[in-house]
Amino acid sequence: MEINELTKVFGNITIPCILTELLNFNNTVSKDDWFSEGFEFSVDEENYMFKTYSEEEEFLNSLIQFAQADGTGSTYAFWMKDKNKNLDNVPIVAFGGEGGYHIVAENIKDLFRILTYDVEPTIDWDSIYYYRDEENHEPSKYIDQYRNWLLENHQINSTKNADKIVQKAQGKYQEEFKEWFAKYYLE
């Protein structure tokens, strides 16, 4: 993905520098393979996935999808709660390709820390979690470069427990997100 494709979906909202820097890393260092399992820059200019939940403008304008979360169509999006235009400090939501929507990180830096765990999430209607079978896990080709880049450029350490980051974020935002979401989507 090129920066102009990413910029298009953000409109007049400033893209977090760390996100554009990661796109540059992706396009130069890891352009031929994964730097973290399942993560791939991806945009949906037409909001097709979100429109399966609601077509109300307020709903659609409060979510900005920026990446695939796994190989089955799950995605990551910024949730612009309170119309906050500083995306450095807004929660990140994961939407499952087969359904389900969950707060995954308090902000973009926490999501990038989760990505150091190097597994794609398992997302269903009830939960999201990151499971890694240590005996059978094959690291992504560029995970070490990604971890080093994140530490050297943003002072973000790797994690050995992605679910702990998710649980902290959900403790802070999940109920609020579910209440907000329920205004637009009735299960």
Side-chain angles (χ1 to χ4, degrees):
M1 170 182 291
E2 296 301 321
I3 188 68
N4 62 333
E5 295 172 84
L6 189 63
T7 304
K8 204 176 208 182
V9 297
F10 283 84
N12 64 352
I13 299 168
T14 303
I15 302 171
C17 289
I18 193 171
L19 187 63
T20 58
E21 290 171 16
L22 182 61
L23 179 60
N24 184 52
F25 172 88
N26 184 74
N27 290 345
T28 56
V29 176
S30 69
K31 61 185 173 190
D32 67 338
D33 209 332
W34 302 104
F35 66 84
S36 181
E37 185 181 335
F39 183 89
E40 184 176 348
F41 279 94
S42 172
V43 295
D44 177 6
E45 290 181 50
E46 302 299 321
N47 286 319
Y48 290 120
M49 176 184 258
F50 299 147
K51 285 179 180 176
T52 64
Y53 294 103
S54 174
E55 293 196 22
E56 290 191 39
E57 286 299 313
E58 185 174 339
F59 175 79
L60 297 173
N61 291 335
S62 296
L63 297 164
I64 301 176
Q65 183 223 326
F66 62 92
Q68 294 271 106
D70 64 19
T72 64
S74 300
T75 63
Y76 290 120
F78 290 97
W79 175 37
M80 298 185 314
K81 59 187 246 66
D82 308 323
K83 302 299 176 221
N84 186 344
K85 301 252 181 188
N86 179 357
L87 297 183
D88 290 315
N89 298 308
V90 302
I92 305 298
V93 182
F95 286 84
E98 301 296 320
Y101 42 88
H102 307 279
I103 294 290
V104 68
E106 287 186 49
N107 54 49
I108 191 70
K109 287 183 178 182
D110 280 353
L111 176 64
F112 287 3
R113 188 161 181 240
I114 288 169
L115 296 179
T116 68
Y117 195 59
D118 193 27
V119 295
E120 61 185 31
T122 299
I123 305 170
D124 60 30
W125 284 100
D126 298 321
S127 65
I128 178 172
Y129 59 90
Y130 293 81
Y131 172 75
R132 181 169 69 199
D133 179 350
E134 296 299 336
E135 291 181 19
N136 296 313
H137 177 69
E138 186 173 322
S140 295
K141 184 175 180 180
Y142 295 104
I143 189 62
D144 290 335
Q145 290 90 329
Y146 171 67
R147 290 174 179 149
N148 291 335
W149 172 84
L150 199 57
L151 182 60
E152 291 173 10
N153 292 285
H154 298 284
Q155 296 69 54
I156 298 173
N157 292 310
S158 298
T159 187
K160 294 188 186 298
N161 189 343
D163 291 331
K164 188 174 182 179
I165 298 168
V166 173
Q167 290 165 358
K168 183 178 177 217
Q170 288 188 345
K172 190 170 182 178
Y173 293 115
Q174 186 68 18
E175 283 307 310
E176 181 183 2
F177 180 71
K178 285 171 75 175
E179 288 174 16
W180 173 81
F181 203 86
K183 292 189 302 188
Y184 304 100
Y185 180 71
L186 300 173
E187 294 183 53

